[in-house]
Amino acid sequence: MGGRRAKYKQGPPAPLSDTRSSSKKLGKRKAEVDVDVDDIPDESTPRAVKRAKETKKQKQQPGIALDGSSDTSPSSREVSPDADVSMSKPNELWSSDEDETFGGEEWDGEEEEELGEEVTMGNMEKLSRALDAEAAREAELDLEEIQNAALAGEEDEDTGMEDDDEDGGEPFQLPTAEEREEEKQGVSDVQVVRRRMRHCVKVLGSFKKFAEKNRSRSEYVEQLLSDIANYYGYNDFLTDKLFQLFPVAEAIEFFEANEVPRPVTIRTNTLKTRRRDLAQGLINRGVNLEPIGKWTNVGLQVFESSVPIGATPEYLAGHYMLQAASSFLPVIALAPQPNERVLDMASAPGGKTTHIAALLQNTGHVYANDANKARTKSLAANVHRMGCKNVTICSYDGREFPKVMGGFDRVLLDAPCSGTGVISKDSSVKVNKSERDFQLLSHLQKQLILCAIDSVSAESKTGGYLVYSTCSVTVDENEAVVDYALRKRSNVKLVDTGLGFGREGFTKYRGKIFNPSVQLTRRFYPHVHNMDGFFVAKFKVEKRSKVQTVGKVADETDVKPPAAELDVGFDSEEDKAYIEEGKRRQIKAKGLRVPPRRKAE
């Protein structure tokens, strides 16, 4: 066989030494021992069953062993773990003195053994497709195994919960109404109450599976509400009101999160320093801190401190403000621009006001108002300490502001609320709130939000926005107020808050249907976001559209004469003195200089 091809033909590889063991990995099927399908336990995986059947099928073929020899005795089929790998190859496919490499990668012969033919250039594509099909079947078996394992894990978890619910081998029994009343009068065992809460949560999660016979879902809900009120110290009204906001399991997480204090956070005053420099200075004083998150570039979370965090030289110099992380959110949503006129309708103690002033870079003007005159002292102290030079402090009822002053580019209304989002700070909310309180607060908030909308200038070129926020999680103080404002003021609409996290507001709640745009509002919970419960909504105030009468033309007879031309029977000269005196009283009430009275001519 001469010629050009024979000249460049590659010679056979060098034979392997008998003393050196092969570096090839042992194939899975060659290392299998004699396994009978009947001996496989019930919990075997589908893949193990398949392989065992293939092994048994090969054993049943006469005269052929797993190692390629004609001996069919069990001892000849067993492979020792210390035996040479070349001894486990099928002699029909591979020669003992050939290196098993293909395409630069090691080839263990397992695929050829399964396919039953030698790999050549002609059948390579066909064998590749067969291998792909085999890999797909293996993936299906893997998925089935994972699903079976997950189901088995759920069953084990249910079994574990059932074991936890048993005390001394006796099954759990739901107390009757009489037993529940007796327990309220006496002192209940905390461990028993907690175990009963867990049992009720489990039953309500899968009622058909775990509920007792002749017991309704309402009985379990009543028992769970009673245990929550008893265990966490809430009154019955507030327990039911907060429980209705969440699914059963999440409601327990919410009540539990209210027992844990929120992290201590501070806000960097960018008028005086940078966050990096502030963090380095506090670290040098023994403060352990880190940035809050990517959603704010001025917040720092304090883990521990060897010095009082509210009495450091940096604090006294106005480099930072002790402020909850949730209080950053309304100002971030407001996004004030330089040289704008901004109103903070309920500003004390000044955290949000100084944040607005910092974003304005001491340009424009910020009007910090608070109805409680005593709280304006702390507001003024923080404004001076933080170096805000564009802030004017006033004390008016927020409902008077459209008459007192208007035409603002942006307005922030952090309305007075029940404080159900800050129970971890003020535990008195658990017992001192009633249905009457929520009705009064909701009415006040509706009045304030309408006045805030009227205070915004719709003609503002850069603004025209209102942000409404509360530290409450109830729907009466949040979505219901926002929906009321949308119905009463046709020239406003909800816009995106610009906050990249938080849950959407409710558009439906216990039979109430709100405006679909209410989903643009954002809710924040202590058990989800590790901050105080908060609500943020952002409005865009537009110009009022003129209402045109369709199909009617105004006649001259329909046009009413001006009020000055109407003779209503009053003497203008006589009333002039009373009008001037009334104006003098208004000026004096505002604290302004009263002009002298005019002498009668």
Side-chain angles (χ1 to χ4, degrees):
M1 295 180 62
R4 186 171 54 184
R5 293 187 179 180
K7 180 179 180 181
Y8 298 100
K9 185 176 180 182
Q10 184 179 2
L16 295 174
S17 174
D18 296 336
T19 59
R20 189 182 70 174
S21 60
S22 174
S23 61
K24 295 178 289 300
K25 295 181 180 179
L26 186 64
K28 296 179 182 178
R29 299 194 183 278
K30 300 183 188 67
E32 289 180 352
V33 296
D34 187 15
V35 181
D36 194 355
V37 180
D38 299 334
D39 297 334
I40 299 176
D42 296 337
E43 61 271 15
S44 299
T45 60
R47 183 185 295 180
V49 175
K50 178 183 175 183
R51 290 178 176 174
K53 290 182 179 179
E54 291 180 356
T55 305
K56 184 174 181 181
K57 182 178 179 181
Q58 291 180 0
K59 290 193 298 179
Q60 291 176 354
Q61 296 180 3
I64 299 178
L66 291 176
D67 59 353
S69 63
S70 59
D71 190 4
T72 59
S73 61
S75 59
S76 63
R77 291 197 299 268
E78 295 179 355
V79 180
S80 174
D82 300 330
D84 187 42
V85 180
S86 61
M87 297 300 293
S88 63
K89 298 178 192 174
N91 296 332
E92 301 172 352
L93 299 177
W94 301 102
S95 174
S96 61
D97 58 350
E98 290 182 354
D99 189 11
E100 302 176 32
T101 58
F102 181 79
E105 297 181 357
E106 190 172 356
W107 183 268
D108 61 357
E110 180 181 351
E111 287 81 2
E112 279 196 38
E113 181 182 351
E114 293 177 354
L115 298 173
E117 55 181 311
E118 185 178 358
V119 178
T120 63
M121 296 298 294
N123 63 358
M124 184 185 302
E125 184 178 357
K126 182 182 71 173
L127 296 180
S128 177
R129 288 196 297 266
L131 290 175
D132 292 340
E134 179 66 20
R137 288 193 295 271
E138 295 283 341
E140 293 178 359
L141 292 175
D142 289 339
L143 180 60
E144 188 176 353
E145 290 178 9
I146 294 173
Q147 293 175 350
N148 292 337
L151 293 175
E154 291 179 0
E155 293 178 358
D156 295 341
E157 183 179 357
D158 293 341
T159 304
M161 293 183 70
E162 291 175 359
D163 295 339
D164 292 341
D165 289 335
E166 295 180 0
D167 187 8
E170 297 181 0
F172 178 84
Q173 296 291 336
L174 189 67
T176 60
E178 293 77 8
E179 294 174 350
R180 193 160 57 241
E181 291 296 330
E182 293 178 0
E183 186 176 348
K184 284 184 178 181
Q185 297 176 359
V187 179
S188 57
D189 188 354
V190 176
Q191 297 298 330
V192 173
V193 174
R194 185 172 183 84
R195 186 170 61 89
R196 191 164 56 208
M197 288 167 55
R198 291 176 54 200
H199 177 80
C200 292
V201 171
K202 184 190 71 171
V203 171
L204 293 173
S206 181
F207 188 77
K208 293 183 179 179
K209 185 176 181 181
F210 298 110
E212 300 177 19
K213 293 183 178 179
N214 300 326
R215 291 284 191 173
S216 63
R217 178 180 291 271
S218 61
E219 293 182 81
Y220 283 95
V221 172
E222 290 176 3
Q223 181 62 49
L224 181 58
L225 291 175
S226 176
D227 290 338
I228 289 174
N230 187 16
Y231 186 81
Y232 294 107
Y234 290 80
N235 59 29
D236 294 338
F237 166 76
L238 191 59
T239 303
D240 183 56
K241 196 171 191 65
L242 297 176
F243 182 82
Q244 294 170 357
L245 294 171
F246 308 98
V248 177
E250 188 177 359
I252 300 298
E253 295 178 5
F254 173 77
F255 286 109
E256 192 68 34
N258 288 334
E259 305 301 311
V260 181
R262 303 276 77 78
V264 178
T265 56
I266 60 177
R267 178 182 57 81
T268 307
N269 183 15
T270 55
L271 294 175
K272 293 189 174 184
T273 185
R274 297 184 304 174
R275 184 171 68 170
R276 180 184 302 176
D277 299 336
L278 173 64
Q280 187 61 47
L282 293 178
I283 289 172
N284 294 338
R285 296 188 184 278
V287 181
N288 184 11
L289 49 78
E290 68 175 18
I292 293 178
K294 295 182 179 180
W295 56 272
T296 175
N297 56 0
V298 294
L300 290 170
Q301 179 178 347
V302 178
F303 295 100
E304 58 181 356
S305 175
S306 58
V307 295
I309 199 66
T312 63
E314 287 83 2
Y315 176 83
L316 298 177
H319 290 186
Y320 65 88
M321 181 86 172
L322 276 168
Q323 189 173 348
S326 57
S327 297
F328 297 7
L329 302 173
V331 181
I332 295 175
L334 186 65
Q337 304 300 316
N339 300 311
E340 287 186 339
R341 295 175 72 247
V342 182
L343 169 65
D344 189 357
M345 291 188 71
S347 57
K352 301 179 185 65
T353 300
T354 54
H355 194 179
I356 294 172
L359 292 177
L360 291 176
Q361 302 171 8
N362 263 342
T363 64
H365 209 104
V366 181
Y367 293 87
N369 177 72
D370 199 273
N372 189 348
K373 196 170 183 178
R375 299 187 68 189
T376 58
K377 295 181 180 180
S378 62
L379 172 61
N382 284 321
V383 168
H384 286 294
R385 182 175 61 85
M386 302 293 279
C388 302
K389 301 177 182 179
N390 60 340
V391 178
T392 298
I393 299 175
C394 53
S395 180
Y396 288 101
D397 190 329
R399 293 169 288 188
E400 298 179 2
F401 238 91
K403 302 175 184 178
V404 174
M405 189 181 304
F408 296 98
D409 296 310
R410 297 172 195 258
V411 174
L412 172 61
L413 173 58
D414 187 24
C417 62
S418 61
T420 52
V422 291
I423 296 177
S424 59
K425 295 180 180 178
D426 184 11
S427 59
S428 63
V429 178
K430 296 180 179 180
V431 294
N432 64 5
K433 296 299 178 184
S434 62
E435 186 175 4
R436 177 66 176 169
D437 295 325
F438 284 95
Q439 291 176 353
L440 294 176
L441 285 169
S442 178
H443 182 68
L444 174 62
Q445 289 158 355
K446 290 175 181 178
Q447 290 178 317
L448 288 173
I449 196 171
L450 293 183
C451 295
I453 291 173
D454 296 338
S455 300
V456 177
S457 173
E459 299 178 355
S460 174
K461 296 180 180 179
T462 59
Y465 292 100
L466 161 69
V467 169
Y468 172 81
S469 63
T470 65
C471 55
S472 174
V473 296
T474 60
V475 177
D476 299 343
E477 302 174 85
N478 298 326
E479 285 87 352
V481 175
V482 171
D483 183 71
Y484 174 83
L486 293 175
R487 287 187 282 108
K488 291 296 182 180
R489 295 292 184 269
S490 59
N491 62 321
V492 299
K493 65 177 181 179
L494 281 172
V495 296
D496 187 30
T497 58
L499 302 172
F501 64 108
R503 293 188 179 179
E504 296 180 353
F506 292 107
T507 55
K508 298 179 182 178
Y509 179 74
R510 298 183 63 82
K512 298 179 181 178
I513 301 177
F514 303 124
N515 193 303
S517 62
V518 176
Q519 66 180 0
L520 294 173
T521 62
R522 286 293 176 266
R523 283 178 157 265
F524 302 90
Y525 298 114
H527 65 288
V528 178
H529 307 100
N530 197 22
M531 62 176 63
D532 294 328
F534 224 77
F535 176 83
V536 179
K538 186 174 183 179
F539 295 87
K540 171 64 176 175
V541 181
E542 300 174 340
K543 295 182 180 179
R544 293 181 180 270
S545 59
K546 296 182 179 179
V547 180
Q548 297 181 356
T549 307
V550 180
K552 291 185 179 180
V553 179
D555 297 332
E556 294 181 358
T557 56
D558 297 335
V559 179
K560 295 182 179 180
E565 299 178 4
L566 294 177
D567 186 9
V568 292
F570 293 103
D571 189 355
S572 300
E573 294 296 330
E574 184 181 354
D575 296 338
K576 192 173 183 179
Y578 297 101
I579 294 174
E580 289 182 358
E581 186 64 23
K583 289 181 179 180
R584 287 173 54 83
R585 290 177 181 174
Q586 290 181 357
I587 295 174
K588 187 176 180 179
K590 293 179 181 179
L592 302 177
R593 184 166 169 265
V594 182
R597 290 187 176 90
R598 296 179 182 179
K599 294 182 180 180
E601 295 179 357

